Amino acid sequence: MDYDDVGLKKEEYDEICRRLKRLPNDVELLLFSAMWSEHCSYKHSKVLIKRYFKANTEENAGIVWISDDIGIAFKVESHNHPSAVEPFQGAATGVGGIIRDIIAMGARPIAILDSLTFGSPKSRKTRYLLEGVVSGISSYGNSIGVPTVGGEVRFDASYENNPLVNVMAVGIVNRSTIRTSRAKGVGNSLILVGSKTGRDGIHGASFASRKLREESFEDRPSVQVGDPFTEKKLIEATLEMCSLPQVIAVQDMGAAGILSSSSEMARKGGMGVDLFLERVPLREKMTPAEIMLSESQERMLFAVEKGKEKEIFECAEKWELDVANIGMLTDTGNMRLFWEGKEVADVPLDVLVDAPSYEKEITSISRSTLSLPIVNEPVNLEEVFLKLLSDPSVSSKKWIYTQYDYMVGTSTVVPPGDADAAIMLVGDGLKGMGVTIDSNGRYCNISPREGAKAVLFEAYANLVASGCRPLGITDGLNFGDPDDDRIYHQFSETIRGIAEGCDILNIPITGGNVSFYNRYEEESILPTPVIGMVGECPDVTRTVKFAFDTEGDKVYVVGEPVRGRVNSGSMYRKCVKGEVGNVFPDVDWYKIKEVFDFMLSCMEKDIFTAVHDVSDGGLAIAVAECCIPAKMGFVWEGEQPNVNILFEEIPGRFVVSIPNSKCKMFERMAHEDEIPFEEIGSVGSTDADFEVFKLPIPMLAKIYENALEEGLDLH
Amino acid sequence: MKVGIVVFPGTNCDRDTFKAFSRLPEVEVEYVWHTFTELFDYDLIVLPGGFSYGDYLRCGALARFSPVMSAVEKYILSKKGYVLGICNGFQILTEAGLLPGALSRNANNRFICEFCDIEIVNYNTPFTRMCEKRVLKLPIAHSDGNYCADASTIYELESEKRVIFRYVENPNGSMNAIAGIMDEEFRILGMMPHPERNCDGVLGNGDGRCVFESIYHELSREVSERDGLR
């Protein structure tokens, strides 16, 4: 076997030989090919992430605490490549994989969110991918009984052959049953629980570490097949086991299966590991290397105190799961593999796990900063408004989320489509949490650094708009080929942007995921950091939705006034002008943080009857979205609106409605805190009346609610 | 009142249903594992929602053969108490032949999760007597809720007032918009909507509570009558 047969570079192979002080045998070479793949080793991203993301944890998921005892474990993970070649199973196993990250911490999963990005809504490929991905998430998520409560769906031609499927899972954990993946104690057992191991997904890790091309679709066998029934049993069994004191450490099995889970577990605890591979329950005849690399789904690995394995076996048997004691922890610091009594591999774990990492000279990419001349050509505002409202990136996602069981678990207080974030109960009282997931490749393509901040601030705004105080973020970083200077530069700028944004917002990054090689043939996707965020909601009965509900309430915009030109990156520029532009708007992020703080203090005083952040499509779309749910109207009463006022999208602005009795208090508070705001009108009865055009709400509702289905010709 | 909630591997509404019953005063609620085969000592057996044994085959087709279902059948024959099947539970009851008809794929071929308006057709049952509203807001969440039966069965159900719940706007293609039915003796209720998901005001408007309160009062009355006879 040769190094390039298994996807290693010449210099990596030389490095392996140098560190081992000998040549690796074939089994060992395969172990290295998986562990040193981008997917497992993060070799292109590790250095930058370590440098800029201070609080990054190395556990399966990060945790923020909402009380002394109750923590929220959450993480986002991508499943882009598998979804590109097999959308149903790719998305389904994406859900399964991230759920196991959550249960590995001893947390009960209570919510799933997903950020999906597809190519042009007009293409047949997009329809095929979207239908497959949505039914994959629906069939898997619904079956395991974890509600899918939120997400986003976007369309842009650059994702045509490389869609993004980023899934975030959120769980609740008690401080006393929390588990880590740090395995300690010589002689302690490693117990494999879950599905039998088969040949599926072998080389999945290295498959995910290559760009997609025409032949990739022949890689369909590299995509694993999900079994939600086993996952459901595995969730219950794992949580029961985590309450047993003899369970020392838990690790889910994702990329590179038994290999990465056992080696990382032992490495984190400073141990070695011996595995006896003939003990692994198999579905078919397999070689030792295949057993190590298999990515069969729905398996977990437990480190259990020696002599106390019985209860673990009993629990697995109760849930009708396969279970086997496949090895033990040693003090050798090595991974030793045995097959029917013979040693087939023996490599130091530090050599295997600590793959070399790369940092490239960051080439500054020159790009034109010249703004296009301002052309004030006449536009038909009504036409533009309707075009934006019916754009599938903007319009209602009801066709999608009604296929997800978003209520199982009876904690969903604010379901999808009602507010900017989903709100879930945690525990028995009225305490809740808000969750959201966001991205925006258009902004990030103009300026990866400022665009990343815009995405982060958008997620923050979504939580603020629902009355939640943000607690932490997880990031899914989706990029093209890191060997390309331009892409590497995008990546490093994005990392800095997120780090700077988190400093300004004073919010920790608790974990994340990097997905490179999102490129089909020669075309890379737009740089797409996905931000998942959770926040705390002290009392779920006081959350605010975005529906206007009382005629006569005053409507205000809170935040910076518009600038006199619809900004680059806006939906207006993309859909109407056909060019997104190349100048990121000047944004004072510190000022926006003040706006956020102000909004939260208004929330504490129950000032608002509706709140919605202004994002895709600008103010006019935000107002329409407030009108549609309760079929209320709106009457414009501000200065005569023009294209900028209606469609500009600069970050950090909110539409709010306020009862007349509270307007004075609101205005006084805004003046005191020096927060810009403007009264733009009031809640009306039957029409959206923007002065320059007036349309009946039932008509808008119909367009907004059917646009996705009609635009993509979904069935 | 003693309630047993059956848990099959793959059941996922067991905890929600448990919570809904725990809201009632003086109720003992227990989980019953799918391997249980002895005679039940409960006043009410609940088959909750979920995906029993994964439901990779027709929904409920495997669960009907599970050991616990023979105990359920014995329980029904003994007339010791009542049975409530919600969603997957309803599907299992029809698969087992304990309720007539079948639940086939939704007319639109997709999973549907949404709040529906559910009309109470018959108030004179152990599960609806305490309901005051004419229409309840209850969530549905299923791929296979399209109620079908032959014409004579539908005629029988309607004329015997065994159609208990009906969709106001038919979401899944069910015949006569049927959302819930009972057996001839009015001891077994099968329904697709999830009353347990709307018992708490913060999760909706609490409309689901009256189903649980009705059976609770029914059983309390029976118990006190029994005691009175003694």
Side-chain angles (χ1 to χ4, degrees):
Chain A
M1 205 177 298
D2 220 353
Y3 58 85
D4 55 354
D5 294 339
V6 298
L8 286 166
K9 293 176 185 161
K10 170 87 170 68
E11 55 273 25
E12 287 170 341
Y13 181 76
D14 292 344
E15 178 70 15
I16 292 167
C17 300
R18 196 185 62 77
R19 290 204 206 167
L20 287 179
K21 303 186 183 74
R22 63 176 168 87
L23 300 181
N25 67 30
D26 282 0
V27 174
E28 290 165 343
L29 190 63
L30 282 163
L31 303 186
F32 278 103
S33 85
M35 291 305 288
W36 285 26
S37 70
E38 182 64 47
H39 198 74
C40 286
S41 71
Y42 287 90
K43 60 191 170 194
H44 283 96
S45 57
K46 209 157 55 182
V47 176
L48 286 171
I49 285 180
K50 277 230 167 88
R51 184 174 312 148
Y52 292 105
F53 291 178
K54 293 165 237 167
N56 213 345
T57 76
E58 286 189 355
E59 276 312 321
N60 295 311
I63 292 189
V64 291
W65 296 94
I66 61 161
S67 71
D68 288 346
D69 298 326
I70 299 178
I72 302 172
F74 65 109
K75 194 184 172 194
V76 66
E77 212 164 73
S78 62
H79 232 216
N80 306 335
H81 284 70
S83 303
V85 298
E86 184 11 68
F88 181 96
Q89 291 296 347
T93 52
V95 173
I98 191 67
I99 289 288
R100 290 190 295 279
D101 275 56
I102 300 301
I103 58 176
M105 310 202 63
R108 176 170 282 280
I110 65 157
I112 297 167
L113 296 93
D114 27 58
S115 165
L116 312 176
T117 313
F118 300 99
S120 159
K122 300 256 181 298
S123 86
R124 290 182 56 186
K125 176 120 194 190
T126 294
R127 189 178 78 189
Y128 158 74
L129 290 172
L130 182 137
E131 284 182 337
V133 165
V134 169
S135 53
I137 293 170
S138 154
S139 85
Y140 202 100
N142 297 351
S143 180
I144 60 173
V146 181
T148 301
V149 299
E152 56 158 12
V153 185
R154 295 172 166 273
F155 300 91
D156 184 285
S158 82
Y159 305 87
E160 187 78 21
N161 291 298
N162 195 133
L164 301 186
V165 176
N166 283 224
V167 187
M168 168 173 166
V170 187
I172 296 291
V173 63
N174 227 297
R175 205 181 276 276
S176 60
T177 55
I178 202 165
R179 288 291 182 274
T180 71
S181 55
R182 209 167 302 121
K184 279 184 181 292
V186 175
N188 286 337
S189 297
L190 292 177
I191 299 182
L192 172 66
V193 179
S195 287
K196 286 190 168 56
T197 298
R199 236 185 230 112
D200 42 351
I202 291 176
H203 302 311
S206 37
F207 163 60
S209 308
R210 286 195 302 268
K211 66 177 183 178
L212 287 165
R213 54 192 193 283
E214 191 56 44
E215 305 87 85
S216 300
F217 297 92
E218 289 162 19
D219 278 340
R220 203 163 287 171
S222 277
V223 179
Q224 315 83 331
V225 175
D227 174 4
F229 175 50
T230 301
E231 179 94 345
K232 168 68 177 153
K233 295 188 291 177
L234 193 59
I235 292 172
E236 301 303 332
T238 301
L239 294 178
E240 276 182 34
M241 290 177 194
C242 285
S243 65
L244 300 172
Q246 65 263 50
V247 171
I248 296 160
V250 189
Q251 174 85 43
D252 61 295
M253 283 193 200
I258 297 178
L259 167 61
S260 71
S261 55
S262 61
S263 58
E264 277 164 24
M265 223 176 185
R267 174 83 182 121
K268 277 183 197 156
M271 309 293 296
V273 58
D274 283 358
L275 296 179
F276 307 95
L277 295 174
E278 68 281 357
R279 298 187 194 164
V280 175
L282 298 183
R283 225 168 42 211
E284 56 202 314
K285 210 166 154 18
M286 290 168 73
T287 67
E290 284 174 335
I291 294 169
M292 291 300 286
L293 264 56
S294 160
E295 294 185 6
S296 287
Q297 297 288 291
E298 291 93 23
R299 298 178 301 163
M300 302 283 290
L301 192 62
F302 295 81
V304 179
E305 225 175 295
K306 189 181 159 102
K308 296 187 178 165
E309 296 89 350
K310 191 162 158 264
E311 279 171 282
I312 304 296
F313 274 71
E314 282 169 359
C315 180
E317 278 152 16
K318 172 187 159 197
W319 286 101
E320 300 177 1
L321 294 163
D322 274 291
V323 54
N325 187 339
I326 62 166
M328 60 182 181
L329 297 170
T330 66
D331 56 5
T332 60
N334 281 20
M335 168 173 267
R336 291 191 301 187
L337 304 181
F338 297 90
W339 178 249
E340 290 166 353
K342 264 194 249 128
E343 185 184 287
V344 293
D346 182 2
V347 287
L349 276 174
D350 54 352
V351 176
L352 184 63
V353 176
D354 304 343
S357 48
Y358 304 115
E359 185 183 13
K360 296 214 296 188
E361 280 295 308
I362 309 224
T363 355
S364 160
I365 305 290
S366 70
R367 54 159 64 239
S368 140
T369 51
L370 277 180
S371 178
L372 293 168
I374 300 170
V375 190
N376 274 326
E377 56 195 75
V379 268
N380 181 331
L381 295 171
E382 179 179 324
E383 223 171 79
V384 170
F385 171 73
L386 289 174
K387 188 164 186 183
L388 290 172
L389 191 70
S390 60
D391 188 281
S393 288
V394 172
S395 68
S396 166
K397 307 301 183 291
K398 198 171 173 188
W399 186 89
I400 293 172
Y401 66 72
T402 51
Q403 295 186 55
Y404 302 148
D405 188 344
Y406 52 81
M407 293 187 255
V408 62
T410 50
S411 357
T412 314
V413 178
V414 177
D418 278 9
D420 288 335
I423 311 280
M424 314 288 299
L425 285 170
V426 289
D428 294 327
L430 288 174
K431 197 162 201 166
M433 67 168 185
V435 284
T436 183
I437 189 166
D438 290 281
S439 70
N440 189 329
R442 291 192 314 278
Y443 281 160
C444 298
N445 197 42
I446 296 167
S447 163
R449 196 149 167 178
E450 295 298 286
K453 284 193 201 112
V455 174
L456 182 67
F457 276 65
E458 165 74 22
Y460 201 101
N462 284 337
L463 289 183
V464 166
S466 321
C468 298
R469 194 171 288 282
L471 293 175
I473 76 157
T474 175
D475 55 358
L477 306 174
N478 305 276
F479 289 83
D481 181 349
D483 295 326
D484 175 337
D485 285 356
R486 190 176 61 94
I487 303 293
Y488 193 77
H489 178 253
Q490 285 174 348
F491 178 71
S492 81
E493 285 288 288
T494 300
I495 298 269
R496 285 171 208 224
I498 293 174
E500 288 164 0
C502 285
D503 270 351
I504 297 167
L505 294 170
N506 191 23
I507 189 168
I509 304 165
T510 65
N513 169 257
V514 183
S515 167
F516 280 129
Y517 304 99
N518 290 291
R519 158 176 158 169
Y520 180 78
E521 302 289 356
E522 292 317 306
E523 196 192 357
S524 286
I525 60 158
L526 303 181
T528 315
V530 172
I531 301 288
M533 198 179 288
V534 301
E536 179 182 15
C537 170
D539 176 352
V540 296
T541 60
R542 291 173 62 192
T543 54
V544 188
K545 303 178 184 178
F546 55 58
F548 289 156
D549 60 5
T550 312
E551 196 174 339
D553 280 1
K554 291 282 173 230
V555 178
Y556 292 79
V557 175
V558 185
E560 290 283 308
V562 295
R563 309 287 173 66
R565 154 151 231 268
V566 185
N567 57 290
S568 295
S570 60
M571 281 302 287
Y572 169 81
R573 292 282 287 269
K574 176 174 183 246
C575 292
V576 181
K577 293 292 174 192
E579 51 83 32
V580 289
N582 56 8
V583 185
F584 197 87
D586 248 335
V587 179
D588 180 348
W589 302 107
Y590 288 94
K591 185 73 204 170
I592 295 178
K593 173 68 163 70
E594 287 173 20
V595 174
F596 290 160
D597 291 342
F598 167 74
M599 289 294 290
L600 285 172
S601 57
C602 290
M603 297 272 185
E604 279 167 20
K605 297 198 158 58
D606 290 323
I607 284 178
F608 306 127
T609 46
V611 181
H612 193 15
D613 85 305
V614 177
S615 63
D616 290 309
L619 181 59
I621 295 297
V623 167
E625 286 174 337
C626 297
C627 292
I628 289 169
K631 307 279 189 297
M632 298 301 289
F634 167 76
V635 184
W636 183 275
E637 288 154 5
E639 65 167 296
Q640 191 184 26
N642 57 28
V643 65
N644 310 317
I645 291 175
L646 293 179
F647 304 119
E648 182 154 48
E649 275 175 29
I650 47 170
R653 296 195 305 153
F654 298 89
V655 173
V656 301
S657 67
I658 304 176
N660 285 294
S661 59
K662 291 181 177 165
C663 290
K664 274 226 170 67
M665 173 163 60
F666 164 75
E667 292 186 11
R668 196 183 57 237
M669 285 173 68
H671 283 305
E672 273 168 18
D673 290 0
E674 293 172 25
I675 299 300
F677 69 92
E678 194 182 344
E679 186 185 331
I680 57 165
S682 55
V683 177
S685 59
T686 53
D687 298 306
D689 180 354
F690 285 95
E691 194 180 326
V692 284
F693 61 88
K694 180 172 165 179
L695 295 161
I697 296 297
M699 171 194 151
L700 298 187
K702 204 165 159 233
I703 293 173
Y704 181 73
E705 278 159 15
N706 297 332
L708 179 71
E709 208 171 331
E710 282 167 11
L712 273 81
D713 193 20
L714 300 166
H715 301 291
Chain B
M1 167 171 162
K2 223 175 146 189
V3 179
I5 297 176
V6 177
V7 183
F8 301 96
T11 294
N12 64 27
C13 300
D14 43 339
R15 289 149 42 90
D16 299 347
T17 312
F18 192 101
K19 242 196 283 180
F21 278 104
S22 310
R23 304 172 65 94
L24 300 165
E26 296 162 41
V27 172
E28 241 180 281
V29 200
E30 284 173 6
Y31 292 118
V32 181
W33 193 235
H34 67 121
T35 51
F36 187 89
T37 52
E38 285 149 53
L39 196 62
F40 294 127
D41 170 31
Y42 300 105
D43 303 306
L44 171 69
I45 291 288
V46 186
L47 304 178
F51 291 73
S52 49
Y53 304 99
D55 272 345
Y56 292 138
L57 223 58
R58 233 170 34 244
C59 300
L62 286 181
R64 68 158 288 203
F65 291 110
S66 73
V68 76
M69 283 310 288
S70 61
V72 171
E73 279 172 41
K74 269 186 271 172
Y75 176 77
I76 289 169
L77 285 173
S78 75
K79 301 194 179 173
K80 280 190 59 167
Y82 296 88
V83 177
L84 167 61
I86 301 170
C87 198
N88 193 222
F90 186 14
Q91 293 165 338
I92 296 167
L93 288 170
T94 58
E95 282 291 333
L98 297 168
L99 285 174
L103 293 145
S104 62
R105 196 115 271 238
N106 294 343
N108 71 2
N109 246 321
R110 296 196 300 267
F111 189 96
I112 307 171
C113 176
E114 63 187 13
F115 268 93
C116 286
D117 285 342
I118 308 289
E119 185 197 343
I120 303 174
V121 187
N122 185 350
Y123 286 88
N124 192 22
T125 80
F127 291 94
T128 50
R129 261 179 214 124
M130 296 293 289
C131 299
E132 284 167 0
K133 291 186 179 172
R134 192 181 71 81
V135 172
L136 304 179
K137 266 204 181 317
L138 297 179
I140 58 165
H142 57 247
S143 302
D144 304 79
N146 181 350
Y147 185 79
C148 311
D150 56 51
S152 63
T153 304
I154 298 282
Y155 177 78
E156 238 174 71
L157 288 173
E158 293 286 2
S159 57
E160 292 170 10
K161 304 219 177 313
R162 287 161 56 197
V163 174
I164 314 303
F165 299 111
R166 213 189 293 279
Y167 302 107
V168 174
E169 277 177 64
N170 195 342
N172 53 22
S174 290
M175 285 181 175
N176 290 21
I178 289 173
I181 56 168
M182 291 196 79
D183 67 323
E184 290 157 324
E185 298 186 27
F186 288 88
R187 301 189 82 87
I188 310 171
L189 169 65
M191 63 190 297
M192 288 314 291
H194 286 273
E196 82 280 11
R197 293 190 182 183
N198 189 7
C199 286
D200 185 337
V202 301
L203 301 174
N205 59 3
D207 270 1
R209 273 200 301 261
C210 71
V211 174
F212 300 98
E213 284 161 2
S214 295
I215 188 67
Y216 173 73
H217 277 269
E218 183 70 22
L219 287 165
S220 314
R221 194 176 55 79
E222 281 183 15
V223 169
S224 59
E225 274 175 15
R226 234 178 12 228
D227 291 351
L229 281 176
R230 252 178 231 149

